[in-house]
Amino acid sequence: MAIKLYGATGSTASLRVRACLAEKDLDYEFVSVDMSNKEHKSPQFLSRNPFGQVPAFEDGDLKLFESRAITQYLAHTYADKGNDLIVKDPKKMAVVGVWIEVESQKFEPAGSKLAWELAIKPIFGMTTDDTVVEENEKKLEEVLDVYESRLSESKYLGGDSFTLADLHHLPVLKYLMGTKAKRLFDARPHVSVWAAEIQSRPAWVKAITA
Amino acid sequence: MAIKLYGATGSTASLRVRACLAEKDLDYEFVSVDMSNKEHKSPQFLSRNPFGQVPAFEDGDLKLFESRAITQYLAHTYADKGNDLIVKDPKKMAVVGVWIEVESQKFEPAGSKLAWELAIKPIFGMTTDDTVVEENEKKLEEVLDVYESRLSESKYLGGDSFTLADLHHLPVLKYLMGTKAKRLFDARPHVSVWAAEIQSRPAWVKAITA
């Protein structure tokens, strides 16, 4: 099998790539990295990702890391497999690119901090920091206000079709939906429909149950 | 003139796009946004960038925001103008994509906080927070250690040629070079050569003196 994904169950960045692999209907080997034993800081893993973080990725002799770089590679290289995650028209793709950046620069920083405080810390018996929650809920609300407006004009963030711009949200969204932060999505009708729709995609369901 | 950039002098994100426009040797109109009068929060500007931040960008009827989405658009659309900022081979471009993400996810968060504390706050008579500086210098050092290793193997972050992966660093680098954080670059021989070389590019010199 040519494609290998070195990741960890529960890692949002690993899940981002699994979502993409499922959409592109690609077979791959999932290699579980034992983070509890610091395998991600071993010399062998550091040669795959020098930052010592999951995921790392291989496609034949090509080695990549950074989840969003891997999804970009998959979407472009396997354009004719599975579901399209990019668009052909360069100007429309430039707009998709804007919303890919918005996820990375605006949604992720607030969303991942909330996922950590509200969903992951409790699993490990750690105490949620309410100040961090309040601060990041405010930031996330500002982002979701922009999304509500955008999604009243187009079905998906990047335009009329589901693209990487939507897909990249799924892992953090998954965590937040099980927390009180869900109300921030529910309160915005277009955001709420969008969130439900992208989470019900068969490829995503496959990715999280694989 | 078809291309318009709505930005502010001193904004790192605006400078990132100006650097790219200079490399691609593209003519454009720079529209100064008066942030001291909150022009970036006006309804007119919010229609260009719903987050109320500079820059915003126009190329004919195409409207974009988010600096890294704009540079991607310029590098691909004007591939035959000025200097190449992407590479044609898809696997090599995938590797460039990794380092574009590294800048965005790793370098920028630490680097921009240091630029704010050490370079920008003093300009406005604000007090530098030494705890934030210490924390982010540590984070930046971890990033620069990876860069030092990477740049001992290839001249540029993305490979043998200067690409967006290098260019995206320039604005924050410019601020940091005037602060004590410069020592973190100077202490790493390959990083130091790289930083000096990319800052001496004629297009960058043109962008910061325009």
Side-chain angles (χ1 to χ4, degrees), chain A residues 53 61 66 104-106, chain B residues 53 66 91 104-106:
Chain A
Q53 293 174 336
D61 61 354
E66 283 290 337
S104 165
Q105 298 289 325
K106 306 285 195 290
Chain B
Q53 294 175 334
E66 284 290 337
K91 288 191 173 184
S104 165
Q105 298 289 326
K106 306 285 194 289

Side-chain angles (χ1 to χ4, degrees), chain A residues 1-5 26-30 58-60:
Chain A
M1 203 179 291
I3 299 180
K4 279 190 188 180
L5 179 66
L26 292 166
D27 289 328
Y28 66 101
E29 181 185 348
F30 183 75
E58 254 179 53
D59 187 357

